[in-house]
Amino acid sequence: MELLDQGCALLRAQARVVLGKPWDTAPLSDEETRTLATALTPLSEALNTTAATAPYLQDPATRAAYVVGMAPRTLAAVLHELPPLPVGARVLDLGAGTGAGALACVLSGAAHVALVDHAPDALASAKELLGHAGLSDVTPYNFRLDTWLNPLRRIQFDLVLMAFSLLEAAGDDVTRATALLVKAERFVSEGGHILVVDSAQKSRARLINALREPLMEAGFHLWAPCPHSAACPALERERDFCHAARPWGLPDDVAQVGERAGLHRHRLAYSFLLVGRNPRPSAPPPVRVIGDVRREKGRARVAVCAEGPVRELVALQRDRATFEALQELPRGAGLRVKVPVDAERTLRVVDPGELTEVP
């Protein structure tokens, strides 16, 4: 079974326990999906319009809806972007909520997890979830993100994770978000990482894009999604931003909860930033796709991130092999494109081999 399916099975059972039912990983019934969707609709609206530091996870019905309707996105995004974890890995999950981000780490081999959150019921639920995932070494800390420093002062972690929590705590304030990250970086071990995952909304994604600079100033190396450490191209114009968007296969019953709540989840979308104490073990690709391919009369084009002036690749229809290869590129793909010294903002690609994907 894929890790996402394993995780969703555990989340189903977690939601049932929150609602006072026995632990059961079986697919949700039609009645259960309708009940959860009813509670999910107002929660989704609230999270999109207000600062979510209010204790919205304290209400059992709302928390259960969150576990099935929102947490699978966290689980899937963290599974996609986790760096390799060392044997016996220690993870610090800041703003852990009901534990979906930590669950991704446990399913990927984490041996100890420290959970920090302001909602005690959510923490208790998260600890139980990780126990059912096979982890007994779990330490919960019931603190807000601006007061969690002292209990952990002497502990180092292989990964510090902030999954859909940093911007709940900081709002759209890059100064506050930076201050929280400066605190977090003190707990990253030698060779460790910080992974921030958050919303794909424009304002949130641009803030995540902006956080790469203070982290590099603190001595971290960029791992993903950036192919270079020069100024972020996604911040050059106010209308631009960089985020991930990929197909995902939720179990049918879990997907149905979102569909009945009116959420459009045909693909997994989020912004993220991964940095490490050490450089990447291999060189990043020179160019990374950061937009969806757009087909126009006689050509196809796509937005990219590259060091230097290039911001868009274009292939003409008459270059059929290249034209077809460019249309197959997924957002996030790293490419072998050779960027000429005299390149302009739009670069025409004629060799389909340059569109071969690299990690």
Side-chain angles (χ1 to χ4, degrees):
M1 186 185 297
E2 296 292 333
L3 293 183
L4 180 58
D5 290 335
Q6 293 180 32
C8 284
L10 292 168
L11 293 178
R12 288 190 198 102
Q14 183 186 31
R16 287 184 170 118
V17 170
V18 169
L19 295 174
K21 300 178 181 180
W23 182 272
D24 182 3
T25 61
L28 300 167
S29 69
D30 186 68
E31 180 182 356
E32 286 175 318
T33 62
R34 291 182 185 279
T35 299
L36 291 165
T38 298
L40 180 60
T41 301
L43 171 62
S44 175
E45 293 173 353
L47 291 178
N48 286 329
T49 58
T50 63
T53 51
Y56 61 94
L57 294 181
Q58 294 297 87
D59 172 66
T62 302
R63 188 162 72 253
Y66 179 91
V67 165
V68 175
M70 299 290 187
R73 177 181 61 164
T74 304
L75 172 68
V78 176
L79 282 173
H80 272 298
E81 308 307 341
L82 269 180
L85 296 177
V87 175
R90 301 174 63 85
V91 173
L92 172 60
D93 188 353
L94 298 174
T98 56
L103 176 61
C105 298
V106 172
L107 294 176
S108 301
H112 169 78
V113 173
L115 306 168
V116 176
D117 202 272
H118 67 282
D121 290 345
L123 276 175
S125 185
K127 184 176 181 180
E128 181 182 15
L129 171 71
L130 300 186
H132 281 283
L135 186 68
S136 59
D137 195 355
V138 182
T139 308
Y141 295 94
N142 184 204
F143 294 101
R144 296 175 64 88
L145 289 192
D146 54 1
T147 61
W148 55 268
L149 179 63
N150 289 336
L152 298 164
R153 188 178 297 277
R154 298 181 181 277
I155 306 176
Q156 296 280 285
F157 296 88
D158 301 293
L159 176 72
V160 174
L161 173 66
M162 303 185 80
F164 295 93
S165 60
L166 176 61
L167 303 187
E168 285 192 6
D172 291 334
D173 186 330
V174 69
T175 301
R176 290 177 61 195
T178 300
L180 286 170
L181 280 178
V182 168
K183 289 175 64 176
E185 66 91 11
R186 304 175 196 178
F187 299 95
V188 181
S189 66
E190 182 178 351
H193 295 81
I194 295 176
L195 174 60
V196 181
V197 178
D198 221 287
S199 167
Q201 292 177 342
K202 176 183 171 182
S203 62
R204 298 296 179 90
R206 285 181 63 85
L207 195 151
I208 296 298
N209 301 158
L211 292 177
R212 62 201 295 276
E213 299 300 328
L215 284 170
M216 285 192 293
E217 290 172 2
F220 284 88
H221 299 270
L222 291 170
W223 275 51
C226 313
H228 60 83
S229 58
C232 178
L235 298 178
E236 291 177 351
R237 303 181 299 186
E238 183 61 33
R239 72 189 189 192
D240 293 336
F241 61 103
C242 172
H243 70 277
R246 61 179 77 246
W248 64 328
L250 280 176
D252 291 342
D253 59 321
V254 176
Q256 192 174 70
V257 174
E259 291 169 3
R260 285 178 164 169
L263 302 182
H264 301 290
R265 293 280 174 83
H266 64 285
R267 63 179 181 174
L268 176 65
Y270 56 92
S271 58
F272 78 101
L273 183 64
L274 175 64
V275 299
R277 290 284 192 199
N278 298 329
R280 282 175 46 128
S282 59
V287 172
R288 191 172 295 281
V289 176
I290 62 170
D292 294 324
V293 177
R294 290 168 289 176
R295 182 170 179 173
E296 301 171 347
K297 184 176 181 180
R299 66 177 186 173
R301 56 179 179 155
V302 66
V304 297
C305 179
E307 186 172 9
V310 174
R311 299 291 176 264
E312 184 178 67
L313 301 182
V314 63
L316 301 184
Q317 191 168 6
R318 66 171 179 262
D319 301 321
R320 181 156 298 278
T322 307
F323 178 72
E324 293 176 352
L326 189 143
Q327 290 183 82
E328 295 298 318
L329 292 176
R331 186 191 291 256
L335 305 176
R336 302 181 187 277
V337 175
K338 299 180 182 67
V339 179
V341 176
D342 59 348
E344 299 181 355
R345 186 177 183 89
T346 297
L347 176 65
R348 179 187 168 191
V349 182
V350 295
D351 179 4
E354 291 188 290
L355 301 181
T356 301
E357 292 185 49
V358 294

